[in-house]
Amino acid sequence: MSQFNLVDQTNLFKINYYKKSENMYNSDNVLAGRIKKRYDFVGKQRFVATPLSFSGGVGAGVLPKSNAGKYEGAVILSKRVYATCEIEREAIHASKGDKGAFVQATKETVQKTVESYMRNDSRIRFGDGSGILGRGDGATNVAGAGTDVSPYTVVISEASWLEANFEEKDYIQVVTGMNAWPDNSTGVAEGAQTEVNLLEIVEVDPDAREVSLVGVSPTLAALSGVGPVTVTTGFCMQKSFGVEPQGLKGIRDASVAGTGTLYNIPVQRRWKSIVEDALGTGVTTDLMNGVMLQLKKRFGKAATMIMTSFEQYQNILALLEDQKIYNLPNKNLKGHMGFEGVEYVGTGGKKIGIFVDRFAKRDTIYFLNDSYLECHHRPGFGWFDDDGTVFLRLQADDAYGARYGGYYENYITPTAHAFLENLAI
């Protein structure tokens, strides 16, 4: 070709770089902004005296016989939750100034690490303390070899699937020998708390509930091409099986089972949540009213907020079409109308906000009282800077590492909350 052109003379043309794109993921953590957070948890454990009955004796005609009240002690034990990052020393220097990179390496790494921690914090708060992200579907054979060219592909069961639980670049582990869903209390994680059997998520197909994984797993290798991941085999966040703080699913599961303990108190009439089964029907105001009234009747206090999934939020919007609130920030700007939110009018005419979270179960609406949902932190939460700096040199490597997180437990008073589940999606 004789003409001067973009292909043959490509090295003479400059590249026009535009500003860095917005995040292509949702990092909202709505519930964390509403709950009580304490940073004074010291000592071996925290004890909460919990009255579960009235005290004294009542009657008429003659003096009644008195009886002592029923008291239990809730025990709070801290759990360790971290986010880590590493950055090459050369990258730190190469990214200094606008000429070197779109972002400063340290600033970008710090910001994204905190975002990832908050995402995981939200997942934990809706979980059950097990770290389980999902179970096998028991029907679709595993494919692939766990390599970059041929990753393992596994299908997650419909009952346990939650798209937000699976993110590309996360490391996860296989957990075998589990009880029937939704009980995640038993099982064995491949590789335990080592890195031998960590699997990197390289692709997520939400429509097929399919996750692609790269890494070493004897379980998946044995199943590849010949069998599915069973419904008693799951996947957990790396090195986290059974050691995460308590979450809403854990409270719900114990309340449905009616056995076991929550914070060392046996599950019983006044120490469990209300769990209403919608039996596959769509959400209605009658169902929501019924749960709200049950909660007020049992606990004496109503929910202060409602959390739900995007699927159920859409159903609520359709249900409460005439109660939507629209925000018009500039009345002179025609055509610019943004949806602001929906409120539920509770007992006594009190308005309660309805919020959406991607970690909420798709078929569930959560009726929560945020005065009884607390996060008890050890002092020193945040970046680990005990040595006077956040980034520390890594041994035998020209790089730096940093750690963010702390030691805490979610204290969720079960009696103060309710669940409306098994709703049509």
Side-chain angles (χ1 to χ4, degrees):
M1 190 173 184
S2 59
Q3 296 96 340
F4 186 92
N5 60 81
L6 279 169
V7 177
D8 295 332
Q9 283 75 41
T10 184
N11 290 328
L12 292 177
F13 289 89
K14 294 181 178 181
I15 298 175
N16 187 318
Y17 288 103
Y18 191 55
K19 65 181 180 180
K20 184 169 73 77
S21 170
E22 289 293 326
N23 294 334
M24 296 297 109
Y25 50 83
N26 184 344
S27 58
D28 290 346
N29 191 348
V30 178
L31 193 54
R34 289 287 301 259
I35 67 172
K36 289 183 177 181
K37 290 176 281 291
R38 304 180 63 95
Y39 298 92
D40 57 356
F41 183 8
V42 296
K44 179 181 178 180
Q45 61 187 31
R46 175 160 279 176
F47 183 88
V48 183
T50 307
L52 297 176
S53 75
F54 293 101
S55 182
V58 295
V62 295
L63 288 174
K65 181 179 179 180
S66 183
N67 201 354
K70 182 178 182 180
Y71 293 87
E72 295 280 3
V75 176
I76 303 173
L77 302 171
S78 64
K79 308 290 177 58
R80 301 178 179 184
V81 181
Y82 308 104
T84 62
C85 61
E86 295 180 4
I87 181 170
E88 187 182 59
R89 184 173 182 273
E90 183 179 3
I92 294 175
H93 292 284
S95 66
K96 288 184 176 179
D98 295 336
K99 294 181 180 180
F102 287 108
V103 295
Q104 186 177 343
T106 51
K107 182 179 179 180
E108 177 75 0
T109 303
V110 163
Q111 178 182 333
K112 298 308 177 189
T113 300
V114 174
E115 286 179 358
S116 189
Y117 179 91
M118 295 306 295
R119 176 260 309 194
N120 194 48
D121 176 71
S122 186
R123 178 191 63 78
I124 289 171
R125 195 161 288 117
F126 279 90
D128 58 9
S130 69
I132 291 295
L133 309 174
R135 302 276 195 104
D137 75 338
T140 310
N141 285 356
V142 176
T147 63
D148 291 331
V149 176
S150 178
Y152 290 123
T153 57
V154 299
V155 175
I156 307 301
S157 70
E158 174 72 23
S160 66
W161 172 254
L162 191 62
E163 181 184 350
N165 280 350
F166 296 92
E167 291 285 350
E168 287 85 354
K169 307 303 289 185
D170 271 347
Y171 288 105
I172 65 175
Q173 288 171 281
V174 173
V175 180
T176 58
M178 305 187 72
N179 290 335
W181 176 263
D183 182 359
N184 293 326
S185 61
T186 63
V188 178
E190 277 189 343
Q193 293 188 331
T194 69
E195 298 183 2
V196 177
N197 298 124
L198 297 188
L199 299 163
E200 181 186 354
I201 299 176
V202 294
E203 187 175 355
V204 179
D205 182 349
D207 294 329
R209 306 191 311 277
E210 185 177 87
V211 181
S212 299
L213 305 165
V214 170
V216 177
S217 168
T219 298
L220 298 186
L223 293 172
S224 184
V226 297
V229 177
T230 67
V231 294
T232 56
T233 298
F235 298 90
C236 73
M237 190 62 76
Q238 60 161 312
K239 309 178 189 179
S240 299
F241 181 59
V243 294
E244 291 185 344
Q246 182 62 277
L248 290 166
K249 180 181 180 296
I251 301 299
R252 175 265 173 208
D253 290 351
S255 298
V256 171
T259 59
T261 64
L262 288 169
Y263 305 105
N264 206 46
I265 297 178
V267 175
Q268 53 195 285
R269 182 169 72 103
R270 300 199 187 278
W271 192 247
K272 65 178 181 180
S273 297
I274 292 169
V275 182
E276 184 71 20
D277 189 344
L279 301 175
T281 62
V283 60
T284 65
T285 52
D286 187 53
L287 281 172
M288 295 179 69
N289 289 339
V291 174
M292 288 291 289
L293 290 171
Q294 283 188 68
L295 185 58
K296 174 68 174 178
K297 178 181 178 181
R298 177 185 291 186
F299 186 55
K301 298 178 179 65
T304 57
M305 64 182 298
I306 296 174
M307 296 290 301
T308 191
S309 63
F310 281 86
E311 291 84 355
Q312 294 307 321
Y313 194 71
Q314 182 176 358
N315 294 337
I316 292 172
L317 293 182
L319 180 68
L320 307 178
E321 179 69 28
D322 61 337
Q323 297 182 38
K324 289 181 182 177
I325 301 170
Y326 288 97
N327 179 28
L328 292 170
N330 185 346
K331 62 182 180 180
N332 298 317
L333 185 61
K334 293 182 179 180
H336 186 82
M337 184 169 68
F339 175 71
E340 185 177 278
V342 169
E343 293 177 329
Y344 173 90
V345 180
T347 55
K350 184 178 181 180
K351 294 181 179 180
I352 300 169
I354 301 177
F355 304 94
V356 63
D357 196 293
R358 66 199 186 284
F359 287 104
K361 281 190 64 181
R362 294 180 298 155
D363 68 346
T364 301
I365 298 176
Y366 304 74
F367 298 80
L368 308 175
N369 189 319
D370 55 6
S371 294
Y372 298 92
L373 210 167
E374 303 176 345
C375 186
H376 291 251
H377 282 276
R378 300 285 193 187
F381 170 79
W383 287 104
F384 291 17
D385 57 357
D386 305 273
D387 298 310
T389 180
V390 170
F391 283 96
L392 299 174
R393 287 183 182 272
L394 300 178
Q395 285 188 340
D397 200 352
D398 186 18
Y400 291 85
R403 302 169 186 172
Y404 184 89
Y407 322 104
Y408 74 91
E409 177 62 288
N410 294 315
Y411 183 53
I412 306 170
T413 304
T415 322
H417 313 289
F419 303 80
L420 175 58
E421 62 181 19
N422 198 17
L423 290 160
I425 297 174

